[in-house]
Amino acid sequence: DFRGRTANYVLMLLFGVICISMVAIYTRVHFLGSALTFMMVYVWGRRNEDVKMSFLGFFTFHAPYLPWVMLGFSLLLGNSITMDIIGIVVG
């Protein structure tokens, strides 16, 4: 939990931006916002393991699986999952 620890949160974001930027050089990706979002979702899910979530009201799962559910939904819609995977790996 980053509540009251702003410096730790900023360092996490800085670490994520640097790592995502280094990976983006090799994958030739230009917009890194969604990868950073996936990184934050992955970290949030790991820090809140007991939170139960529901996706579109069809099935429930625990918070650590949220990035994977979002990745599967993105794949189902036919979107590129490169940015999603980069964010999960960096997280």
Side-chain angles (χ1 to χ4, degrees), residues 33-34 43:
S34 60
V43 170

Side-chain angles (χ1 to χ4, degrees), residues 19-41:
C19 290
I20 290 170
S21 297
M22 289 177 14
V23 171
I25 292 170
Y26 298 108
T27 57
R28 300 189 195 315
V29 178
H30 301 292
F31 180 69
L32 306 175
S34 60
L36 187 64
T37 303
F38 258 84
M39 182 202 77
M40 289 189 291
V41 167

Side-chain angles (χ1 to χ4, degrees), residues 32-53:
L32 306 175
S34 60
L36 187 64
T37 303
F38 258 84
M39 182 202 77
M40 289 189 291
V41 167
Y42 183 82
V43 170
W44 178 85
R46 287 292 167 194
R47 289 181 165 266
N48 297 290
E49 293 180 353
D50 296 329
V51 175
K52 291 196 82 158
M53 306 193 75

Side-chain angles (χ1 to χ4, degrees), residues 57-70:
F58 291 118
F59 62 95
T60 59
F61 54 93
H62 288 279
Y65 298 110
L66 178 60
W68 302 105
V69 170
M70 291 172 57

